[in-house]
Amino acid sequence: LGEAGLGITGSRKGAREMSEESKYPALKALCTGLKLTEKVLQTPIQSVITVSADGSLLDSFKVLMRNNILSAPVSDNGKWIGFLDVRDLVSYVNHLFANQPKPRRKSWEKKNKEGEKPADKKDSEQKNLARVVDIAALEPTITVRYLARRNPFKPLTPDDNLWNAMELMAKRYKRIPIVDKDGKLVNIVSQSSVMRLLSNNLQDKKLQAELAKVQASTIGTKPVVSVHRDALASEVFKVMSDKNLSGIAVVDSMGGFLCSTQASDLKLYLVNENLNILRKPIRQFLAQVRQQELVDLLPNVSVKPTDALAHVISKLAVVRMHRVFVADPKTGLRPTAVISISDLLKHIFGMEPSQATRSAPSMRVDGSPSLKPRKEKSAVKPMKPLV
């Protein structure tokens, strides 16, 4: 396949159609001088995990879990059609949770009848998981192929530079596949690897001066969608699904920021193979899947309103997460904005963060999980706050 067949021409054209002028000339100069072959951006090709469009959806999600990755390119008869993303797991689990009856409590204890050997608790839970997470029985149209097409495969070449990749990421693409002139997949550039590369180059004085002019309070998405630490995990992930979020803030009774939960936490949940954990408060859910106390669940993922843009980039690189929360210690660490890597890139390229999926903080919205496009309703039934 040539570049046109892979969609490279269209991707590059779309990026170049954006304004040539930049409010960050030093940053642009740095990034245009960095090729996508930089070591920090490299994923050894033998480590690139792929999944088949014809594979089982559950097995494909397990591939992500086993390899501790957030996404994988999907091939369909030798053609790349998109990515299977761990964010799809949120909608996947919510759909299953909404369409399955609640399991009886301690059902494994009720199988010891007439001298029958008691059922093993773990075996029973694994069988229950296998029964519940087989989405093919509920929605035959929800397949790896269907989900992959929601996360397009938009490649660049090794000759492109970091600025080209960042332009595409600012639009909507979370990761950029790199293919050579023969159509061979040679690398996948992620948002996190871009942040690490930028962080490694922040010692440049011109760049430091340029980024020092912008404070964290001026970028990001407002208001912050947050949940109380005692909200049920099932409700928290439903909010994430309904609002099309990949992360959400967890706060205390005073609204102070504690930590965040994200789509990848469901990956950890599936590793534990215990569906009932979704009926626990989010703080217990996080403690159980990570086997740690709440205060140790996540690194510090907050920044001060007055922190410079350079500090935000460094923080994103250090915590290896896709978002940080703006929270002021003077106001009890109440989160006032969330800065995702996408938000940061949109800001750099003069694009406004999308408000389409944001609404009042700590509110649930009516509607089915977002595995499929929802039909418009004439009115939305208000839901009670989770806090």
Side-chain angles (χ1 to χ4, degrees):
L1 291 176
E3 290 189 1
L6 285 164
I8 295 176
T9 302
S11 298
R12 193 179 297 166
K13 181 180 178 181
R16 288 172 179 171
E17 284 177 350
M18 302 180 76
S19 175
E20 293 294 332
E21 297 297 327
S22 173
K23 55 183 175 182
Y24 293 103
L27 179 62
K28 182 177 180 179
L30 168 69
C31 295
T32 52
L34 294 172
K35 294 295 183 181
L36 296 181
T37 52
E38 290 289 330
K39 186 176 180 180
V40 175
L41 297 176
Q42 290 298 305
T43 300
I45 193 60
Q46 62 268 24
S47 299
V48 175
I49 306 299
T50 64
V51 296
S52 171
D54 296 319
S56 159
L57 191 53
L58 176 59
D59 289 342
S60 298
F61 278 131
K62 286 185 175 180
V63 168
L64 301 185
M65 292 184 282
R66 284 196 303 268
N67 292 280
N68 194 32
I69 55 178
L70 299 181
S71 64
V74 177
S75 63
D76 187 2
N77 294 321
K79 180 180 179 181
W80 301 111
I81 62 171
F83 284 82
L84 181 66
D85 196 295
V86 73
R87 292 177 302 163
D88 296 320
L89 188 57
V90 178
S91 297
Y92 175 92
V93 172
N94 273 286
H95 190 85
L96 296 168
F97 197 88
N99 285 276
Q100 290 291 327
K102 294 182 179 180
R104 296 178 181 178
R105 297 181 61 186
K106 300 183 179 181
S107 59
W108 60 87
E109 295 180 353
K110 299 180 180 181
K111 295 187 177 182
N112 186 18
K113 298 179 180 179
E114 300 179 359
E116 181 182 353
K117 184 179 179 180
D120 180 77
K121 175 180 178 180
K122 184 176 180 180
D123 288 345
S124 296
E125 289 175 343
Q126 289 177 338
K127 291 178 181 178
N128 183 55
L129 178 76
R131 176 180 66 83
V132 173
V133 300
D134 183 12
I135 200 169
L138 295 174
E139 293 285 354
T141 59
I142 305 300
T143 62
V144 173
R145 182 179 288 100
Y146 170 82
L147 293 179
R149 286 171 175 162
R150 306 201 312 176
N151 305 300
F153 190 92
K154 290 291 185 181
L156 292 176
T157 74
D159 293 330
D160 282 299
N161 57 54
L162 182 60
W163 194 253
N164 298 144
M166 289 168 59
E167 283 181 316
L168 288 181
M169 289 179 175
K171 296 173 71 174
R172 62 170 292 190
Y173 306 107
K174 300 294 183 182
R175 78 287 300 159
I176 307 298
I178 310 301
V179 298
D180 62 19
K181 61 182 180 180
D182 297 320
K184 181 180 178 181
L185 178 65
V186 296
N187 190 26
I188 297 176
V189 177
S190 66
Q191 289 184 331
S192 296
S193 65
V194 169
M195 289 299 104
R196 290 195 295 273
L197 181 55
L198 291 181
S199 180
N200 291 344
N201 288 274
L202 289 177
Q203 67 274 13
D204 181 90
K205 292 184 178 180
K206 289 184 178 179
L207 183 58
Q208 286 180 352
E210 192 171 83
L211 299 180
K213 299 177 182 179
V214 181
Q215 295 185 344
S217 60
T218 64
I219 58 179
T221 300
K222 304 175 183 179
V224 175
V225 179
S226 62
V227 293
H228 190 271
R229 61 185 179 185
D230 290 332
L232 296 182
S234 60
E235 294 178 319
V236 174
F237 289 110
K238 185 178 188 304
V239 170
M240 288 174 60
S241 178
D242 289 341
K243 293 180 177 290
N244 195 28
L245 300 172
S246 57
I248 198 167
V250 179
V251 299
D252 60 23
S253 298
M254 300 300 292
F257 178 75
L258 294 175
C259 64
S260 69
T261 185
Q262 53 195 353
S264 58
D265 289 327
L266 273 177
K267 179 180 65 174
L268 297 174
Y269 141 71
L270 284 180
V271 170
N272 281 267
E273 295 190 349
N274 187 345
L275 186 65
N276 293 329
I277 196 173
L278 284 176
R279 298 186 174 91
K280 295 186 176 184
I282 188 64
R283 58 177 178 175
Q284 292 183 24
F285 170 86
L286 293 174
Q288 185 167 341
V289 296
R290 301 183 186 185
Q291 298 179 347
Q292 295 177 3
E293 296 297 327
L294 183 61
V295 294
D296 298 322
L297 288 176
L298 291 170
N300 179 8
V301 292
S302 65
V303 295
K304 299 177 182 177
T306 55
D307 285 335
L309 185 55
H311 180 76
V312 175
I313 293 173
S314 295
K315 176 73 74 170
L316 287 165
V318 169
V319 301
R320 292 177 176 266
M321 297 184 68
H322 284 241
R323 71 199 53 77
V324 293
F325 292 84
V326 180
D328 193 342
K330 297 180 180 178
T331 59
L333 283 177
R334 293 187 178 184
T336 57
V338 56
I339 305 174
S340 67
I341 296 179
S342 295
D343 289 335
L344 189 149
L345 293 173
K346 287 178 184 295
H347 168 78
I348 289 173
F349 289 99
M351 302 166 60
E352 291 297 325
S354 174
Q355 301 292 328
T357 59
R358 319 298 193 198
S359 60
S362 305
M363 294 291 291
R364 291 175 56 186
V365 297
D366 194 20
S368 59
S370 56
L371 272 175
K372 287 186 172 182
R374 292 184 297 242
K375 295 181 179 180
E376 294 295 330
K377 297 184 178 181
S378 58
V380 177
K381 182 180 179 181
M383 304 296 287
K384 293 182 179 180
L386 288 176
V387 295

